[in-house]
């Protein structure tokens, strides 16, 4: 089973194709990756939420199979993570500096340049800092540490769906999960995916990264 996870941020969205077939692999695609003469992020926006068509197109371009899709926006992710506490703990795999912009309060639209250093290791982040933590960027020439940072998202999704083989537990998690995302996964699909995941649990995940 191959499932496409998308951390949606318009033309800066990132794409993760998880395969639980003979070899457990994770293909990571950045929005700058040019496919059919166009950056993948731009092409994704052009499909305007028509995920079945986008998945068919991407599968044809990459000559692979995409069985299901899961789309979660950065806003939905923050709503989920910060629903109870104003900060969360993350573990940064590699120090980096965010280069981008910050936005003012809801009633003051104020975008300005921003640089913020994130040290390696555990740290506590509020929602605004977390968004900068997972925003797509090239940390240094040829260095795309954002993929490792965004895998926090994949682990949350994985934990919500796959950490238990108990159908009752999976059903409970699925009902919560389905409110956060756009997906074509049904409860039956989740049960199959969980079974497949349990079968490959001891296997090492092979990561393939194509940023640009």
């Amino acid at each position: 089973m191959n499932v496409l996870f998308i951390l949606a941020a318009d033309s800066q969205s990132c794409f993760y194709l998880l395969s639980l077939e003979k070899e457990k692999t994770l293909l990571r695609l950045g929005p700058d990756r040019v496919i059919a003469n166009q950056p993948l992020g731009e092409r994704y926006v052009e499909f305007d939420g028509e995920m079945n068509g986008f998945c068919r197109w991407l599968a044809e371009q990459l000559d692979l199979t995409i069985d299901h899709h899961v789309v979660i926006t950065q806003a939905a992710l923050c709503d989920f993570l910060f629903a109870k506490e104003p900060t969360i703990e993350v573990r940064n795999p590699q120090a980096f500096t965010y280069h981008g912009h910050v936005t003012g309060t809801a009633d003051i639209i104020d975008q300005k340049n921003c640089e913020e250093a994130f040290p390696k290791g555990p740290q506590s982040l509020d929602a605004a800092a977390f968004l900068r933590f997972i925003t797509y960027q090239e940390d240094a020439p040829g260095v795309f540490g954002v993929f490792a940072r965004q895998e926090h998202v994949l682990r949350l999704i994985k934990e919500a769906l796959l950490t238990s083989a108990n159908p009752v537990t999976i059903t409970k998690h699925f009902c919560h999960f389905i409110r956060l995302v756009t997906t074509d996964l049904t409860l039956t699909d989740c049960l199959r995916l969980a079974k497949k995941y349990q079968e490959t649990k001891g296997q090492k995940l092979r990561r393939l990264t194509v940023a640009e």
Side-chain angles (χ1 to χ4, degrees), residues 148-160 207:
R149 299 192 292 271
Q150 287 190 355
E151 281 195 43
H152 284 285
V153 179
L154 291 181
R155 279 193 289 273
L156 288 172
I157 295 173
K158 179 189 73 175
E159 289 168 4
R207 292 173 174 84

Side-chain angles (χ1 to χ4, degrees), residues 40-175:
L40 181 57
E42 292 181 6
R43 190 73 176 110
Y44 168 71
V45 170
E46 288 181 356
F47 274 89
D48 194 26
E50 208 291 281
M51 285 306 304
N52 290 331
F54 175 75
C55 289
R56 284 194 301 270
W57 172 83
L58 185 59
E60 290 173 1
Q61 295 298 321
L62 299 180
D63 192 24
L64 44 72
T65 300
I66 298 175
D67 298 306
H68 297 286
H69 64 265
V70 177
V71 182
I72 184 167
T73 66
Q74 291 186 354
L77 177 64
C78 280
D79 287 345
F80 171 67
L81 290 175
F82 296 93
K84 296 181 179 180
E85 300 292 339
T87 62
I88 62 167
E89 296 294 320
V90 300
R91 181 174 292 276
N92 186 16
Q94 186 65 46
F96 75 100
T97 298
Y98 168 80
H99 302 280
H101 66 263
V102 294
T103 304
T105 58
D107 58 333
I108 303 175
I109 301 174
D110 176 28
Q111 293 191 342
K112 57 183 179 180
N113 293 332
C114 171
E115 284 197 359
E116 181 176 357
F118 289 85
K120 180 179 179 179
Q123 51 208 276
S124 180
L125 303 180
D126 62 15
F130 179 77
L131 283 175
R132 295 192 285 275
F133 182 75
I134 62 172
T135 293
Y136 177 79
Q137 70 168 25
E138 188 175 11
D139 295 342
V143 178
F144 293 88
V146 64
F147 290 110
R149 299 192 292 271
Q150 287 190 355
E151 281 195 43
H152 284 285
V153 179
L154 291 181
R155 279 193 289 273
L156 288 172
I157 295 173
K158 179 189 73 175
E159 289 168 4
L161 292 176
L162 306 178
T163 52
S164 172
N166 186 322
V168 175
T169 302
I170 293 173
T171 301
K172 179 181 177 181
H173 289 167
F174 178 79
C175 291

